[in-house]
Amino acid sequence: MERLFTPGPVELPERVRGVLGRQIIHHRTEEFKNAFLEVRELFKRLLESPSENFVFFASSGTGAMEAAILNFFKEGDRVLVVNGGKFGERWMLLARHWGLEVIEYKLPLGKSADPDRIREMLREKPCKGVLFQISETSTGAFHPYKDIGKVCREFDTLCVADAITALGVYHIKPEEDNIDVIVGGSQKALLLPPGLSVIWFSERARQNLTDRAFYFSVSKELKKQVEGQTAWTPAISLILALKESLSMLLEETMPKVEKRHRLISEGTLQAVRVMGLEPFAENPAISVSAISSDQSEKIRKELLKLGIRVAGGQEELKGKIFRISHMGVDPKDALMLIGVLEVVLKKLGFPVELGSGVKAFSQRLLEGGLW
Amino acid sequence: MERLFTPGPVELPERVRGVLGRQIIHHRTEEFKNAFLEVRELFKRLLESPSENFVFFASSGTGAMEAAILNFFKEGDRVLVVNGGKFGERWMLLARHWGLEVIEYKLPLGKSADPDRIREMLREKPCKGVLFQISETSTGAFHPYKDIGKVCREFDTLCVADAITALGVYHIKPEEDNIDVIVGGSQKALLLPPGLSVIWFSERARQNLTDRAFYFSVSKELKKQVEGQTAWTPAISLILALKESLSMLLEETMPKVEKRHRLISEGTLQAVRVMGLEPFAENPAISVSAISSDQSEKIRKELLKLGIRVAGGQEELKGKIFRISHMGVDPKDALMLIGVLEVVLKKLGFPVELGSGVKAFSQRLLEGGLW
């Protein structure tokens, strides 16, 4: 069996698989309603917010991104898009598709957004929203969401964060962090198969709700979902399984979840440096590590031969980076990956001393107090 | 464990549950690609058509209905909508939402569309499309899709069939049946959890493809899906499980699948008549039987106490009908339901002779050669 270290889908925990393999229940039942309301309570605890302003969709994450554009913006609205890779690009495509005016904050691949630059740009041209990724999955770059949130608050600007590979990784507290819209997807750190997405929004964002969407209508869904139902048929199995995965995150507690991802990320990058490779992102996201190498496709293939799947680069980054996901990963498995990577690099002729990467990794975890 | 006889979700076969409980695989792999291409081949066999003109979405059925409106029609296009219940109403809402001009062919609840009337209406006001349900799930009425298809062909009109509770029930052959767009959903006779939808279209429909949709873009998905990939992250587990459920349908063969549904439907309605109740639909769909009774909510509750879930009426039909799904149902289970219904009716004071409904049911199945 292949082991996945890909930035979505991530491997499903046993507890989640147990639910997915069960016989289905009907969604117009007390049983589903109670489970769904419980999932909503757990989700509130995840974000440490009592707000009911969030809905789930039966769709992939892109669907919830579209929902953000359709529900909170009107044709002609001007938005600033942080474009530092494939998913920043997706915000641009979506915003333009639905008739928004896009001011592009284009970043070299691997670079992180500079909040001061966003402030300048907003001063120059006021925008109704700033759209960005907390973790730009295509480059492994982190965009400093708290600082971007603060800048948005200085202006009359909605802070719209694609958290598809950040929710369930970072300890996001939207009210404290000044985020107005958060978009998430199931197959990332929410530890489920793809097919469920979520959108959370502030009261400030709610004032801007439009009725432009049909399937992705936030207001239609919200009305139903606060009562444990949905406007359209929900992804029943994924909602039920989400109860397990959210419980797992909350049992670990979000500060510890973030710490785990941070230490695994730092340990992995430290190990990679010891092995002579370099991180691609200037300021790496802790959900996924992108690593530069013009041998990346060879490395990926050799890892696959030993049963480990990591992701390659997309589009212009193909053949230039490979990407290791830390989402939902147990530290022991992260160590295993480093050990196998040592073997693979050695086989490919890299001057790697076996054990050196693992040593660096374990040291970081011990220092950090995770081990 | 509650037994589901609801028109979606329907109970999951063991073969399907086995796949759903497995560890996930990545979608950018040969393994997924091959499985997806195999699913596409099976789907072609289901419709007995070599055409590659179909795509799957990660969404509920309503999403694919929206895709039909967004991809094949433009703002201002005029469409004729057969509105015989809640799902006819949904076509109207969707079409109007996206700026289409709607000519409503309003039917009393429980009645079926008359193809001659559609011909008259199209003569009076030409329309770009006729939108209807093959099986109007809210009333159990069948709309004669082959005859509607013929009428559409007489005019320059796209025949758009919501087959959400017809696909995997009726032996639909779109080319022969003159259907241009077919919409399906996973949690019905495709025997999966909700969260996957499908849209099939004719070459004639393809000529009308627009680029108005983003998440629900048929052209973006088609380009990828013919190669075993998807534009956005697919509902991986449901695609893999669809291989099982399509295989099951094809092993049984579609003529036999339709015959099974037809005989169970006829047997059930015959049994219900013997028990003194009346079918609600004039021309019943074979996917779901709606049965009239002002005691329907009591009947539903008593059935539930004995572990059987059927559906009630929706909106104005609440308390007036109950609905029994035959989708994916084994004849023995259908018999069991009739037997339990006898008990429940007797308990509620209906003048029912125990065994009489079951006798009528079994006789119909024997006559029909299913038993």
Side-chain angles (χ1 to χ4, degrees):
Chain A
M1 182 76 202
E2 208 170 81
R3 298 294 308 268
L4 295 184
F5 289 87
T6 45
V10 306
E11 290 194 347
L12 308 175
E14 271 304 311
R15 277 170 71 174
V16 164
R17 288 171 55 193
V19 174
L20 295 173
R22 273 189 218 151
Q23 186 51 278
I24 198 136
I25 63 166
H26 199 277
H27 52 297
R28 306 293 182 205
T29 57
E30 283 297 305
E31 186 179 358
F32 179 78
K33 182 181 152 184
N34 292 337
F36 192 22
L37 290 176
E38 205 177 323
V39 162
R40 289 187 63 88
E41 289 305 316
L42 295 172
F43 193 76
K44 289 187 218 170
R45 283 176 55 201
L46 187 80
L47 296 185
E48 295 192 10
S49 161
S51 168
E52 288 285 353
N53 288 349
F54 59 93
V55 297
F56 295 92
F57 293 110
S59 83
S60 78
T62 302
M65 289 174 80
E66 181 161 36
I69 299 287
L70 279 171
N71 285 277
F72 300 107
F73 298 93
K74 294 189 301 292
E75 222 175 313
D77 279 348
R78 188 193 289 147
V79 291
L80 191 161
V81 178
V82 174
N83 180 7
K86 188 179 157 83
F87 295 96
E89 181 78 24
R90 189 159 302 168
W91 272 137
M92 306 242 309
L93 291 172
L94 265 164
R96 286 192 177 134
H97 184 89
W98 293 110
L100 275 56
E101 184 193 336
V102 171
I103 307 288
E104 182 180 9
Y105 174 16
K106 176 88 178 162
L107 289 164
L109 295 173
K111 299 289 177 196
S112 297
D114 174 2
D116 291 333
R117 179 69 193 122
I118 293 177
R119 184 182 290 110
E120 273 171 38
M121 291 177 77
L122 288 176
R123 230 174 242 152
E124 232 166 85
K125 276 202 179 172
C127 289
K128 187 170 162 195
V130 173
L131 317 178
F132 64 103
Q133 274 66 38
I134 292 181
S135 154
E136 168 56 66
T137 319
S138 68
T139 65
F142 174 70
H143 295 313
Y145 64 98
K146 295 183 191 183
D147 294 330
I148 296 174
K150 273 183 207 149
V151 171
C152 287
R153 215 32 78 96
E154 295 170 23
F155 299 82
D156 188 19
T157 300
L158 294 175
C159 178
V160 181
D162 163 2
I164 293 176
T165 53
L167 199 64
V169 173
Y170 290 94
H171 186 196
I172 303 171
K173 286 173 274 186
E175 274 113 357
E176 206 175 303
D177 298 342
N178 298 306
I179 308 182
D180 292 298
V181 180
I182 297 177
V183 165
S186 56
Q187 80 275 25
K188 311 291 182 174
L190 296 181
L191 311 170
L192 304 177
L196 184 73
S197 68
V198 63
I199 185 166
W200 181 98
F201 48 99
S202 66
E203 268 305 309
R204 202 154 143 258
R206 192 180 176 153
Q207 304 308 318
N208 290 280
L209 266 182
T210 71
D211 56 0
R212 194 148 61 130
F214 190 94
Y215 183 77
F216 289 120
S217 169
V218 163
S219 49
K220 274 200 204 90
E221 289 293 350
L222 187 64
K223 218 174 122 188
K224 295 278 194 174
Q225 294 193 17
V226 292
E227 293 176 348
Q229 282 300 328
T230 51
W232 321 128
T233 308
I236 302 173
S237 344
L238 299 184
I239 295 276
L240 297 178
L242 182 57
K243 202 171 106 178
E244 291 304 313
S245 59
L246 287 178
S247 299
M248 288 172 66
L249 290 170
L250 292 167
E251 284 161 20
E252 185 175 357
T253 78
M254 278 312 294
K256 285 190 182 165
V257 167
E258 175 163 338
K259 186 179 176 185
R260 167 167 55 85
H261 285 90
R262 186 171 304 284
L263 286 170
I264 289 179
S265 155
E266 290 175 2
T268 300
L269 293 176
Q270 202 43 47
V272 153
R273 279 192 202 95
V274 165
M275 294 190 268
L277 297 177
E278 279 303 316
F280 179 70
E282 189 181 32
N283 180 8
I286 61 175
S287 48
V288 53
S289 292
I291 296 146
S292 299
S293 169
D294 53 11
Q295 306 255 44
S296 64
E297 283 308 290
K298 271 194 191 155
I299 295 170
R300 237 162 61 76
K301 272 175 204 146
E302 290 297 322
L303 281 170
L304 255 183
K305 281 188 199 160
L306 298 180
I308 284 181
R309 179 172 296 275
V310 299
Q314 297 162 296
E315 291 157 25
E316 63 251 69
L317 290 177
K318 197 171 167 77
K320 296 183 181 160
I321 61 170
F322 63 100
R323 296 174 298 150
I324 300 170
S325 164
H326 313 306
M327 289 184 285
V329 168
D330 181 273
K332 296 186 288 299
D333 288 328
L335 176 144
M336 174 265 282
L337 165 67
I338 299 294
V340 177
L341 183 58
E342 288 176 357
V343 171
V344 160
L345 291 176
K346 193 164 183 71
K347 275 179 155 184
L348 288 173
F350 286 77
V352 167
E353 194 190 333
L354 292 180
S356 62
V358 166
K359 181 180 171 191
F361 178 84
S362 290
Q363 266 173 348
R364 184 71 201 95
L365 263 67
L366 283 166
E367 281 163 23
L370 191 64
W371 277 351
Chain B
M1 182 75 202
E2 208 170 80
R3 295 296 305 269
L4 294 185
F5 289 88
T6 45
V10 307
E11 291 194 347
L12 308 175
E14 272 303 311
R15 276 170 72 174
V16 165
R17 288 170 55 192
V19 174
L20 295 173
R22 273 188 217 150
Q23 187 51 277
I24 198 136
I25 64 166
H26 200 276
H27 52 296
R28 307 292 182 205
T29 57
E30 282 298 304
E31 186 181 0
F32 179 79
K33 182 181 152 184
N34 292 336
F36 192 23
L37 290 176
E38 206 177 324
V39 162
R40 289 187 63 89
E41 289 306 316
L42 295 172
F43 193 77
K44 289 188 219 169
R45 283 176 54 201
L46 186 81
L47 297 184
E48 294 193 11
S49 162
S51 167
E52 289 284 353
N53 287 349
F54 59 93
V55 297
F56 295 91
F57 293 110
S59 82
S60 78
T62 302
M65 289 175 80
E66 181 162 37
I69 299 288
L70 279 171
N71 285 277
F72 299 108
F73 298 93
K74 294 188 299 292
E75 223 175 316
D77 279 349
R78 188 193 288 146
V79 291
L80 191 161
V81 177
V82 174
N83 179 8
K86 189 178 156 84
F87 295 96
E89 181 79 23
R90 188 160 303 167
W91 270 137
M92 304 242 308
L93 290 172
L94 265 164
R96 286 193 177 133
H97 184 90
W98 294 108
L100 276 55
E101 184 192 336
V102 172
I103 308 287
E104 181 181 11
Y105 173 16
K106 175 87 177 163
L107 288 165
L109 296 174
K111 301 289 177 197
S112 296
D114 174 2
D116 291 333
R117 179 69 193 124
I118 293 176
R119 184 182 291 110
E120 274 171 37
M121 291 177 77
L122 288 176
R123 229 174 243 150
E124 233 166 83
K125 274 201 180 175
C127 289
K128 188 171 163 194
V130 173
L131 317 178
F132 63 103
Q133 274 65 38
I134 292 181
S135 156
E136 168 56 65
T137 319
S138 67
T139 65
F142 173 69
H143 294 314
Y145 65 97
K146 295 183 191 183
D147 295 329
I148 297 174
K150 273 183 207 149
V151 171
C152 288
R153 216 31 78 96
E154 294 170 24
F155 300 82
D156 189 18
T157 300
L158 295 175
C159 178
V160 181
D162 163 3
I164 294 175
T165 54
L167 199 65
V169 173
Y170 291 94
H171 186 195
I172 303 170
K173 286 172 273 185
E175 273 113 356
E176 207 176 303
D177 299 341
N178 298 306
I179 310 183
D180 292 297
V181 179
I182 296 177
V183 164
S186 56
Q187 80 274 27
K188 312 290 183 174
L190 296 180
L191 310 171
L192 304 176
L196 184 73
S197 67
V198 63
I199 185 166
W200 182 99
F201 48 99
S202 66
E203 268 306 307
R204 204 157 143 256
R206 192 181 175 152
Q207 304 308 317
N208 291 279
L209 266 182
T210 70
D211 58 359
R212 194 149 59 130
F214 191 93
Y215 182 77
F216 288 120
S217 169
V218 163
S219 50
K220 274 200 205 92
E221 289 293 350
L222 188 63
K223 218 174 123 189
K224 295 279 193 172
Q225 294 194 16
V226 292
E227 292 174 352
Q229 281 301 329
T230 51
W232 321 128
T233 309
I236 301 172
S237 344
L238 298 184
I239 295 276
L240 298 178
L242 183 57
K243 203 172 105 180
E244 291 304 313
S245 59
L246 287 177
S247 299
M248 288 172 66
L249 290 170
L250 293 167
E251 284 161 20
E252 185 176 357
T253 79
M254 277 313 292
K256 285 190 182 164
V257 166
E258 176 164 338
K259 186 178 176 184
R260 167 167 56 83
H261 285 90
R262 187 171 303 284
L263 287 170
I264 289 180
S265 156
E266 290 175 2
T268 300
L269 292 176
Q270 202 44 48
V272 153
R273 278 192 203 95
V274 164
M275 294 190 268
L277 296 176
E278 280 303 315
F280 179 70
E282 191 179 33
N283 180 8
I286 61 175
S287 48
V288 54
S289 293
I291 295 147
S292 298
S293 169
D294 53 11
Q295 307 256 43
S296 64
E297 283 307 290
K298 271 193 190 157
I299 295 169
R300 239 162 60 77
K301 272 174 204 148
E302 289 297 321
L303 282 170
L304 255 182
K305 281 187 198 161
L306 299 180
I308 284 182
R309 178 172 296 277
V310 298
Q314 296 163 295
E315 290 156 27
E316 63 250 70
L317 290 177
K318 197 172 167 76
K320 295 182 180 159
I321 61 170
F322 64 99
R323 296 175 298 149
I324 300 170
S325 163
H326 313 307
M327 288 184 286
V329 167
D330 181 274
K332 297 186 288 300
D333 288 327
L335 177 143
M336 173 265 281
L337 166 66
I338 299 294
V340 177
L341 183 57
E342 289 176 357
V343 171
V344 160
L345 290 176
K346 194 164 183 71
K347 274 180 156 183
L348 289 172
F350 286 77
V352 167
E353 195 189 334
L354 291 181
S356 62
V358 166
K359 182 181 169 189
F361 179 84
S362 289
Q363 266 173 350
R364 184 72 201 97
L365 264 68
L366 283 165
E367 280 163 24
L370 193 63
W371 277 350

